[in-house]
Amino acid sequence: MPGSPPADLASLTRRYLAPATPDCPTFVEDTGWEPIVDGVDYFARLRALFDRAGPGDTVLVTGLNLEPDMDLNGLDPDEDGYEALADRFARLVDAGVDVRVLLTAALFSGSVPGVAIGPFRANAFAALELRRRAQLAGRVLLDWSGSGIGCHHQKVVLAHVRGELTAFVGGLDLSANRFDAEPHDRLSIGEERWGWHDGAAALHGPGAARVWEVYRGRWTEAATLPPRRFMVTPTEWESMNPEPFRHDLPPSPPAPPRSAPGTAVQVLRSLRPWKIDHFGMLYRRHWTVLPRNGAQEVFHTLSTAIRGARRYVYLEDQYFFEVPGGRRAFRLYGLLRDAAARGVKIVLVCSGRKDPVDAGVNKFRRRVTGDVQRGVIDQLDPGDRGNVIMHRIEDLTVHTKLALVDDVFASIGSANFFSRSMRGTDTELSTAFVTTGNQVRDLRVRLWAEHLRTELTDELAPRLADLELALGMWRPEWLPPDAPAGTWRVPGYPAGFAPAERVLVPVGPWPEPSPRPLRRAAHGARRGAAKVAESGRRRLSSS
């Protein structure tokens, strides 16, 4: 195994983070960064802040989609205590809170009935539903800016409550089916089990203020879009952003430094150069306040972290394949290949089930995606292919966009691994974090225990914290030589390992040749030998 990474913060920052710039600073030891795993915890934190909010406070929300009738407690409309999100926002405004909501929109697919492209038409009606509350009129904007083939994919909630600013950045939209947690058995598709695994990061201090400024830029761009309408019925059209509405958002409130020794944080954007790119070259317009030439900050930092990896790269993502809108120059597969070639262990974790809104067969096939196969596996020497493994999680949509490297680097946000997000075709926002402490290791231990479906007891935690031992859960060949046979495959090995169920499915790649053909061949040989033996016995008995 390659040597351990350097321990001092300055060396870690140079190795795993892209160099700081005025547009993308690095916040050193002054920004609190806390990971959140799954929607139940995330929505509980939002509820706690909203319950405390009062006069002079602010709540800002943006996402790919939002359900006005969802309840932050996960309740259904017929249950006691249910409160629709739209009513909660209205109640916050009545209490003196400045509430703003930005919803992703599209001119064509958001208007034409029956066009099943993204959530844009649903967002248009969500905006109408929110605006039906008089308190929210002028506080909800539909943002149809950006690349014509892309969308605004950022998922952000900002809450300035009682003088403290908290920024949530991640993959979670305010939708009812995101309300889930381990063991992910509360949702279903028809009669079949289905779960939703997701994550976010909570920021405090100057890093949270930067998230505010990113949101402020988005609000300004949406507020300065030309007037447009969308179709409600063939005879009825509504303005996307009817006047009067709030055009300006104040600068970030004070966000005093939060003591965070041994840590550094970056807030990373992805966006293309064009504010309007829908009607051909002659109508293109650059951003008004966002970077005129776009930004690919997520790509540069993830590239740096993967290049710097010495021990492992762990990725959770909904997609490990390319979709239209990307570009070869922003693909990361080659960096994974190079890392595997130098001995770094690459672990890719993805969905066993699609998001139901995505078209096609809901269950994924149990094999490596073509882009990983072509971009990583096929370009490795056969002896290095054993450094890569992909797993799917049964009956689960893995919606996290998360990277962990060497137990010192973590990235959580809205940016998927494909080049469409890296390039900025979909505008994204992610956070990156490096530490000399144990925060990344502890996050890894929590995630891996969840995927093993084993309780993280005091007995088991040190076994998962032992990276050399824990890596063996993904491939038996990665276990230390002294690990007992059956480790991570048999309850009790290691001590404290007690899985309630098995949901991790390895889909390869394996060192050449694949073990499945070998298993089939061995099984066929055994059956053939048994038939020959049986035939011999029959001849002997007949004679």
Side-chain angles (χ1 to χ4, degrees):
M1 186 67 69
S4 300
D8 64 286
L9 183 60
S11 297
L12 291 178
T13 302
R14 287 193 298 270
R15 186 174 188 87
Y16 296 97
L17 296 181
T21 67
D23 287 335
C24 184
T26 300
F27 301 98
V28 179
E29 299 187 320
D30 64 357
T31 292
W33 185 94
E34 182 184 4
I36 302 169
V37 179
D38 291 326
V40 170
D41 187 12
Y42 181 72
F43 293 131
R45 293 171 185 245
L46 296 187
R47 290 197 312 269
L49 284 169
F50 294 173
D51 288 344
R52 294 173 53 227
D57 293 337
T58 304
V59 170
L60 310 176
V61 176
T62 189
L64 179 64
N65 60 293
L66 178 148
E67 295 177 2
D69 58 350
M70 84 158 292
D71 176 81
L72 291 177
N73 287 294
L75 299 175
D76 292 327
D78 58 352
E79 294 183 271
D80 292 339
Y82 166 83
E83 182 180 30
L85 186 62
D87 294 329
R88 181 177 277 262
F89 284 160
R91 185 158 59 85
L92 286 173
V93 175
D94 284 336
V97 180
D98 184 6
V99 176
R100 312 281 184 100
V101 179
L102 268 175
L103 291 175
T104 299
L107 291 180
F108 175 73
S109 55
S111 181
V112 179
V115 177
I117 302 176
F120 308 117
R121 185 154 176 81
N123 285 350
F125 282 91
L128 289 180
E129 180 64 23
L130 291 168
R131 290 168 184 157
R132 288 194 179 99
R133 280 75 173 172
Q135 302 94 323
L136 300 178
R139 297 176 179 273
V140 179
L141 293 184
L142 287 166
D143 188 357
W144 53 270
S145 64
S147 171
I149 196 175
C151 68
H152 290 293
H153 195 242
Q154 298 170 348
K155 294 105 187 298
V156 174
V157 175
L158 286 142
H160 183 241
V161 177
R162 299 187 182 182
E164 182 178 23
L165 179 61
T166 305
F168 298 94
V169 178
L172 285 145
D173 287 297
L174 301 186
S175 299
N177 61 13
R178 273 58 165 173
F179 192 92
D180 199 13
E182 185 190 2
H184 300 289
D185 59 358
R186 67 182 305 274
L187 304 174
S188 63
I189 299 176
E191 296 182 354
E192 295 187 319
R193 177 179 171 182
W194 171 54
W196 189 277
H197 174 59
D198 220 323
L203 279 69
H204 295 90
R210 172 163 163 78
V211 178
W212 178 292
E213 292 304 319
V214 172
Y215 188 99
R216 184 182 178 216
R218 282 279 315 280
W219 186 271
T220 301
E221 297 291 358
T224 53
L225 284 168
R228 290 290 184 272
R229 298 190 301 161
F230 70 94
M231 181 193 300
V232 177
T233 68
T235 60
E236 182 183 1
W237 291 72
E238 289 277 352
S239 173
M240 279 192 159
N241 295 315
E243 293 278 8
F245 60 80
R246 295 173 176 252
H247 286 257
D248 298 323
L249 181 66
S252 170
R258 174 70 65 93
S259 178
T263 69
V265 173
Q266 289 182 336
V267 177
L268 309 166
R269 300 167 296 178
S270 284
L271 65 149
R272 295 285 305 281
W274 306 110
K275 175 175 181 173
I276 299 178
D277 190 21
H278 299 73
F279 306 109
M281 296 290 290
L282 296 177
Y283 199 75
R284 272 184 166 179
R285 299 289 186 273
H286 280 287
W287 298 106
T288 304
V289 295
L290 293 178
R292 179 178 178 85
N293 295 318
Q296 289 81 37
E297 296 158 0
V298 181
F299 171 76
H300 293 305
T301 289
L302 279 181
S303 298
T304 303
I306 296 171
R307 287 192 187 100
R310 293 183 172 186
R311 306 180 74 185
Y312 78 90
V313 175
Y314 172 79
L315 299 168
E316 290 183 9
D317 201 89
Q318 189 177 5
Y319 311 101
F320 283 108
F321 54 85
E322 293 296 304
V323 298
R327 191 175 181 182
R328 188 173 297 276
F330 294 100
R331 294 183 182 180
L332 295 167
Y333 308 110
L335 297 179
L336 293 182
R337 175 204 62 215
D338 295 344
R342 61 179 185 267
V344 176
K345 306 306 182 190
I346 309 297
V347 180
L348 311 177
V349 174
C350 49
S351 301
R353 284 188 179 273
K354 287 184 179 181
D355 183 344
V357 303
D358 292 339
V361 178
N362 185 259
K363 285 189 176 182
F364 284 100
R365 288 178 290 182
R366 294 182 176 180
R367 68 183 189 187
V368 176
T369 62
D371 286 300
V372 170
Q373 183 69 43
R374 292 184 294 271
V376 182
I377 306 308
D378 292 347
Q379 299 183 42
L380 283 169
D381 291 335
D384 293 327
R385 292 173 183 171
N387 291 329
V388 184
I389 189 69
M390 176 181 281
H391 280 69
R392 297 196 183 277
I393 305 182
E394 290 282 83
D395 299 317
L396 191 72
T397 298
V398 176
H399 195 254
T400 36
K401 298 88 169 64
L402 175 142
L404 306 179
V405 180
D406 293 349
D407 276 2
V408 297
F409 170 92
S411 172
I412 301 176
S414 69
N416 287 295
F417 192 75
F418 52 38
S419 63
R420 175 187 174 104
S421 287
M422 297 298 112
R423 186 187 184 195
T425 300
D426 293 336
T427 62
E428 309 284 7
L429 193 68
S430 293
T431 64
F433 174 80
V434 295
T435 180
T436 60
N438 296 326
Q439 295 99 313
V440 176
R441 184 203 67 187
D442 293 345
L443 174 59
R444 173 181 63 78
V445 167
R446 179 181 177 185
L447 286 168
W448 291 11
E450 174 174 325
H451 298 330
L452 287 170
R453 296 292 192 266
T454 186
E455 184 180 354
L456 187 58
T457 62
D458 291 341
E459 185 178 30
L460 182 63
R463 273 79 177 183
L464 277 172
D466 181 347
L467 180 61
E468 303 303 320
L469 183 64
L471 281 171
M473 67 176 272
W474 304 105
R475 295 191 67 119
E477 297 87 348
W478 295 353
L479 285 167
D482 59 347
T487 297
W488 302 118
R489 276 117 191 117
V490 177
Y493 293 89
F497 175 52
E501 59 179 341
R502 296 297 179 92
V503 294
L504 281 174
V505 178
V507 295
W510 295 271
E512 293 294 341
S514 167
R516 287 192 177 186
L518 287 178
R519 284 199 296 266
R520 288 195 294 269
H523 180 64
R526 287 194 297 270
R527 290 183 61 187
K531 287 181 178 180
V532 170
E534 178 64 21
S535 175
R537 284 193 295 271
R538 289 175 179 173
R539 284 196 299 270
L540 288 173
S541 62
S542 62
S543 63

